[in-house]
Each structure stands twice: as structure tokens, then as C-alpha cells.
Amino acid sequence: MKTLLTTILLSLTVILPSKAANHEVPLIQNVQAYESLSLNGEWNYIIDVQEEGYYDYRMNPTRWGFFQNAKPQRPEDLIEYDFDKSPTMHIPGDWNTQDERLFFYEGTVWFKKNFQVKKEENVRHLLYFGAANYDCRVWVNTKEAGHHIGGFTPFNYDVTDLLKEGENVVIVKVDNKRHAEDVPTQIFDWWNYGGITRDVRLVKVEPVYLEDYSLQLQKADTKAKVRQIDFSARMNKKEAGHKVVVFIPELKLEQQLTTDAEGKVSGTLKVSTKKLALWSPETPKRYRVKISLDTSTINDEIGFRTIETRDKQILLNGQPIFLKGISIHNEKPNGGGRANSAEDARTLLGWAKELGCNFVRLAHYPHHEEMVREAEKMGILVWSEIPVYWTIAWKNPKTYENARNQLRDMIARDHNRANIIIWSIANETPHSPERDAFLGNLAQYARSLDNTRLISMAMEVTGASNYVNRLNDNMNQYVDVVSFNQYIGWYRDVNDAPKMKWEIPYNKPVIVSEFGGGAKYGYHGAKNQRWTEEFQENLYRENIAMLEKIDGLSGTTPWILKDFRSPRRVLPDVQDYYNRKGLYSDKGEKKKAFYVLKQWYENK
Ligand code: GCB
């Protein structure tokens, strides 16, 4: 018996130190509604090319890592780093544009910030990161809070038990090295901006709080006299008997519910059709909503609308709509760098509005939350996507789990935003049975999380003989809208757009999710001269005329609003590490093709 116990204890001591602590809790809905301490601002950082601060010289995780934030205690102590003597950079922010040594860097950087906490009874603290790209480990007062993978989705840790009264320290290790089994994979056509790229906050919650809630207008006949709004909510604890009240003052709607043993509630609010102003691009009406759990209340502003398809049409609030869109990367409007504020969002979306858009494709990963929120206020519909892009490791179960988590968190963050109408699960993926299984499962998972919106993905057409382009993708059965990217006039068939025909053999609406070509702002010449604004202008004219012939065309999101940084674009004097397919230059100057698209949208 004694020997058995000793064996168990011994094996435990072997296992315990290497087991990562995990304080991660499901993402809190509407984090902005809570009182919180912003941890944005200056953070000390250490560039750690060989991950010296994490692995020992045998590549085992070291107990003496930089997360210890150690200081020499005696004159003879050897400590070969010092956060407080290291430089600082602004968080949120990518490291590439804040330190010229890091412009092309892909690896590990450590960050440190001190902050003050007042411990209070009946308060829990969630440490919330809007996003960190890509692989991120967090320590609070030298204790590991958790490990998160994925560069564009938020995550939060309940760090209550790691905090102390007074000064606290948070240390974050971010690694943006690329790997074949990651999501996205090793190659992608955008800049791999590293770091803590979105806001960090310490959020105050009560011991029992609403982890999630949802308000969603039910679809109905356009003649229905009464409309129904489904409400559901889930607490962080599985406890029955808590009181939840949802209240929409302007509509005088209120419902009181009591949590079940799962800590959940659900109900339906009924409102007369006449009274309810629907959210739409023309009238982006949002209602103030108060949601209380026992004695605490949070506020949201929620719009009500329906989105569905009928044969080859997309119906917003029961009416057919043509989606006048543009694709956007989440990059700052002037000069590059990760966009990370409401102001960046307003500028980018303002440019899309000037183009006449009612729709944006936020490619190729979930954008900053403010992109969605600002678009909602401005009446811009949104396609939101996860970075399942190109050659994903379809057979790897960990890769699938990673993609699934990113999908879950994208939907968890934004499912109360009325302007999001499409969840996109992939972009330009090479066909194979493994890819079909992976994407088929993802599509079903997306639908299980949110069956009120449309599902799509950017597919590819295969060129057939005699100028026929055919869409043939097994994933057609999983999507509500068939979307595809095509580059006739740029990568293919430079002069052939007028002769092209289309075969899209599915009775579903069609979105052309990309088309376009490159031009350097200010470079002029003949329309067959690559990189001139005239070449791009002509390409847009010919493409638009060609796309108009597609049966069921319900929208387009040309590639792309603005020139964006990409390591794949190396041509000197023209690209200089920018993909030049923008209708605006990276500085926000309009190219000639801008006016072609604007005119088409004005007449559509
Ligand atoms: C595509 C990709 C997009 C690229 C674009 C291009 O098909 O979806 O990410 O940036 O083409 O410019 O080649």
C-alpha cells in the first residue's frame, strides 16, 4: 500500500509542474457593458528570439522564466533580464510598426504591465484580451492564468484568486511564428502583425453573472400583426432560482424569468408589428435593452431584423436586397499597422460608405469589435470570417479544434449585432474529402450555435473550356449563399472578361466575394499597362459588365477597399510589400477604379 501511494505521489509530482494552469472562462457577452480597468497604455517588452525566457537549455519549460519578473536580491545574484529597464510600446498595438527592428519579426515578445487593484467582497475580476496574435500565455503575479491560441478572437481569464491588494503585475508572452497546422496556416496574403493587438481590461463582475445572452427577432410573414423576439441567457454558474429580467423601455416590453438548474433562461417577447422599427441600412435603429440578473443590471443597444434566402434571393426584413459590398482587411487607414480603435473603424467604414456600400466583407478573420459595432451604427451589413484560408491541415484534429474555437468565439462576441448577416467559414480552400469533412463539420457547428444567420464561404470557380466558368463545390449543400472569388482580368484571361459565361448550378443566391487587380496610386498609362490606375479602372468596368450576367447575383465584395501590407508582394517601386488591389491607396487616396464601382453601386 505504502509503495503504491508513493508511486502515485511521485507520478503526481512529475505531472503537476508541467500541467498548465487554466483560468480561462467562457467569453463574457458584451464586455463593454461592465465596469473595468483599462490596461491599455505603455507596456515594457523584451524581444526573445530563442524563447530564453520560457525554455531552459534543454528546451524544457523553465521554472525561472521571464514570467517570474525576478530582480536580484543579493549583489551576487545573476538575473539576465529586467522588464523595468526594457523599452515600452503601446498596447493595443502590433509590434511591427512600433519598433523598426520588429518590422519583419515573427517570434516571441514578452510584455509586462503593473496595475493597482482594490480587493472587494463579492467581486470577481476577469482579465480580458480583445486579441493577441498568435500564441499567447498570460501570468498574473507570476502564476499562469492560461494559454490561448488564435490571433483574432477575444479570451478572458477569471484571475480573482491570482490578484492581491495594491500593486499587481501581468506578464504576457506572445509568439506569432507560423506553423503548417495553425489557423491560418503558414502562408497567407496579409501581414502577420504580432503582439497584443486589441484592448486589455480587468473587468469587474459579481460572483454570479451573465456569461451570455441573446435577443433575436423571429422570422415572420410580412403581413404578421405581431412580431416575436426570442430571448435567452446563461449564467456562469449552473444554479436554479436566479431572477433574470429583460426590459426594452421604448417598446414597453418586459419579461421576468427564473434560471433553471442549468443556470439558463429563455422566453419570448411579443410586440405589435406597427410599433417595432426594424434595423436596416437605411434606418439602423437600435433599442436600448436592460438585462438584469438578481440585483445587477447591464445595458445593450440591439437592433431587430431578419435575414433569410428565397431561391436565389437574399431577403433582409422580408425584402430582396442587393449587397453592395467591399472587402476590408483590419489594417489602419493611413500607413498600415493593425487597426485597433473605433476611430480606425469609422475611417475605414466611412470610405466604404463613400463608395456607396451597404455591406462589407471583413476578411479574412474576425476584425476588431469596433468594426462591427461602428458598422452597425452606420447601417452597414457585415460578412464575418474565420482564417480557414488556403492550405489548412485538414487531417489534423487539433487544427479542427482550433478553427472550431475561433468560430465559436467570433459568434460568441458578435451574435447580438444586427448588422452581421453572414458567418463565413473559409476562403479559397483546395478540394479533397478531408477538406469537405472539416468544412462540413464547421458549417454544422456554426448553424448549431446560430441558426438565425446565413452561412457562406469564399469558394473558387474552375475554368472550363469555351470561356465557361463553372462552380462545382461539394460544400454547396452546407451554405445558404454560394460565394466565390475570381480574378479574370488579373491572374487569368487578361482580355477575356467580355466573353465569359457562368454556370452556377445551385438554386441559391450568389455573392462574388472577390474580384479586382492591382494599381499603384498616381501611376498612369494605357489601359493594358499593368499597375496603372487605367488598367484597374478598365478591369473593374469589364468585370462589372461580366458579373451582371450571373444568374442570382445578390452581391459583390471586390478585393479590396485599401492597399494592405503583405510579405508576398515584393515588386520594387510598385508593391514594396503592399498588395495594391485597393481602391484607395494605403494613404487613403482614391484610384480611378473607385469611381467605376461607385457609379455601378449608385445605379444598382
Ligand atoms: C485571393 C485571396 C486574398 C488575396 C487576393 C490577391 O484570392 O482570397 O486573400 O489577397 O486573392 O490579391 O491575390
Side-chain angles (χ1 to χ4, degrees), residues 26-96:
L27 203 57
I28 188 169
Q29 173 60 210
N30 191 15
V31 68
Q32 299 188 359
Y34 292 84
E35 184 188 335
S36 64
L37 172 73
S38 171
L39 297 185
N40 291 350
E42 296 301 307
W43 290 53
N44 294 96
Y45 68 98
I46 300 173
I47 304 166
D48 187 11
V49 177
Q50 295 204 10
E51 298 189 87
E52 164 76 15
Y54 192 73
Y55 295 108
D56 66 15
Y57 77 133
R58 297 292 183 252
M59 276 305 280
N60 296 313
T62 167
R63 291 169 56 205
W64 310 114
F66 291 178
F67 50 87
Q68 293 289 354
N69 193 27
K71 302 280 178 197
Q73 302 299 316
R74 303 166 309 166
E76 62 268 40
D77 283 350
L78 175 66
I79 302 210
E80 294 182 276
Y81 68 96
D82 187 339
F83 275 106
D84 294 311
K85 290 200 176 126
S86 301
T88 63
M89 75 166 76
H90 189 79
I91 300 300
D94 62 83
W95 64 54
N96 314 72

Side-chain angles (χ1 to χ4, degrees), residues 188-190 329 361 363-364 389-390 427-428 458 460 485-487 490-491 514 559-560 564 566 569 579 581:
F188 44 89
D189 189 21
W190 67 84
H329 260 298
R361 174 180 178 212
H364 283 296
Y389 180 97
W390 292 355
N427 179 77
E428 287 185 356
E460 288 174 303
N485 303 344
Q486 66 81 23
Y487 280 91
W490 186 255
Y491 295 125
E514 286 178 29
W559 196 253
I560 185 170
F564 61 97
S566 167
R569 310 295 172 175
N579 182 316
K581 296 190 188 70

Side-chain angles (χ1 to χ4, degrees), residues 158-197:
D158 184 333
V159 294
T160 317
D161 301 337
L162 306 181
L163 293 174
K164 53 185 198 226
E165 180 73 24
E167 179 144 285
N168 290 262
V169 57
V170 56
I171 289 183
V172 179
K173 171 184 183 287
V174 186
D175 180 357
N176 72 337
K177 282 196 288 294
R178 302 159 183 246
H179 305 99
E181 66 278 12
D182 287 350
V183 182
T185 180
Q186 242 158 346
I187 50 164
F188 44 89
D189 189 21
W190 67 84
W191 208 262
N192 188 20
Y193 292 114
I196 307 174
T197 50

